[in-house]
Amino acid sequence: MSTETGAVTGSDNTRIHNIGYRAYDGPRLGRSYARRSLYSQSLRGSFGLGRSAKSKVLPMLLFGVMCMVALITVAVAMVAPDATKLMMKYTDFAIYLQAVIGLFIASQAPQSVSRDLRFKSVPLYFSRPIERADYVVAKYAAMASALFILTVTPLLVMYVGALLAKFDFADQTKWFGQGVASVTLLSVLFAGLGLVVAALTPRRGFGVAAVIAVLTISYGAVSTIQAIAWETGSAGAVQWLGLFSPITLIGGVQTAFLGATSAFPGGEGPGTGTGVVYLIVVLALVAGSYAVLMRRYRRVGL
């Protein structure tokens, strides 16, 4: 009897219940849909959309600061007597507002990638029809797009304001195009560097500090050394020192190829020959950032 009772008890404990799960017979959207969804989610998250109200405060505040500076620039030009152009060049805008741009990428790059690393959700992405390259491309494109929106919107405000002020259409269009080309390159470079630094640690606070150090503190250090070189008569070294900071790299490229005014000491930026070196370094950093991200996610995606 005891044996029979035990058998009955064992069968009760291992009973299988039908809880209503059904097989999925619908369409499989595949990798491209997953990649687009990850891009869209990451882009919206960069501005706090789809997240808590607290997460929207900083990115929207920084976006508002950028647009407010552009509006003030337009307002000053409209009220100034005999003004024929804006007080700030389109190519100068991102250079002057680099602290705001740096704070944006420092706060949003860790949000984009550090949380996935911290909560070990990257293998879950790769368990679906999405590959490592899809994840890296989607995250990189989303961060570059967010930076482009942040930087090109105030340029558009300035351009529309200049046309409303009846400044020369041809000149404004040419200068606006140069500004767009500059912030496009800046967005791709800063997005790559910011994501690489943020992806090295799952701790968001460390990621924020490291991104600020790479993008902002490096500019202060390079500018200081450039000023010292200029004052000590080593003017030839000023241009080459600009290769060691992301923002001076962008400044050098736009000075050489986009008609921008150099912010280097003495106002002497790189010429076309040196500008080619600047452009090669920028492109190498972009390609290197992608390669480092691919290597990083080869390790954590297992």
Side-chain angles (χ1 to χ4, degrees), residues 251-263:
V253 170
Q254 66 180 20
T255 300
F257 301 110
L258 299 176
T261 301
S262 177

Side-chain angles (χ1 to χ4, degrees), residues 44-288:
R44 294 175 72 249
S46 296
F47 292 97
L49 303 178
R51 299 165 58 199
S52 64
K54 183 174 67 173
S55 301
K56 297 178 176 65
V57 173
L58 183 58
M60 291 301 181
L61 178 62
L62 296 176
F63 182 77
V65 169
M66 297 284 286
C67 292
M68 183 59 67
V69 173
L71 286 171
I72 292 173
T73 303
V74 171
V76 171
M78 285 184 170
V79 300
D82 301 326
T84 58
K85 60 182 180 179
L86 299 172
M87 57 179 281
M88 184 187 303
K89 287 187 174 181
Y90 296 97
T91 50
D92 291 340
F93 190 87
I95 303 297
Y96 290 152
L97 275 294
Q98 61 178 288
V100 179
I101 299 171
L103 186 56
F104 181 89
I105 186 67
S107 61
Q108 300 311 310
Q111 181 275 137
S112 181
V113 296
S114 295
R115 292 191 306 171
D116 290 344
L117 296 172
R118 182 177 181 182
F119 297 111
K120 303 184 185 303
S121 60
V122 175
L124 297 179
Y125 282 108
F126 297 162
S127 68
R128 309 308 300 166
I130 184 172
E131 297 184 359
R132 177 166 45 95
D134 299 324
Y135 182 88
V136 172
V137 168
K139 290 291 184 178
Y140 199 142
M143 186 53 60
S145 298
L147 281 173
F148 182 74
I149 292 171
L150 178 75
T151 53
V152 81
T153 303
L155 298 188
L156 185 59
V157 171
M158 292 169 60
Y159 178 66
V160 173
L163 295 184
L164 291 176
K166 298 183 179 180
F167 296 158
D168 186 79
F169 175 81
D171 287 342
Q172 294 299 321
T173 302
K174 174 186 175 182
W175 297 334
F176 174 68
Q178 293 172 341
V180 171
S182 175
V183 297
T184 300
L185 194 61
L186 180 147
S187 300
V188 175
L189 176 62
F190 275 39
L193 295 176
L195 288 177
V196 165
V197 174
L200 295 178
T201 174
R203 296 183 177 272
R204 183 176 180 181
F206 290 163
V208 170
V211 173
I212 290 176
V214 170
L215 298 182
T216 304
I217 297 179
S218 64
Y219 171 74
V222 167
S223 297
T224 301
I225 298 174
Q226 283 180 320
I228 294 173
W230 176 262
E231 292 296 333
T232 55
S234 301
V238 171
Q239 296 183 11
W240 299 110
L241 288 169
L243 295 170
F244 297 96
S245 166
I247 195 66
T248 54
L249 274 172
I250 298 299
V253 170
Q254 66 180 20
T255 300
F257 301 110
L258 299 176
T261 301
S262 177
F264 289 178
E268 297 183 6
T272 303
T274 309
V276 171
V277 178
Y278 272 69
L279 184 59
I280 291 174
V281 172
V282 170
L283 297 178
L285 286 174
V286 170

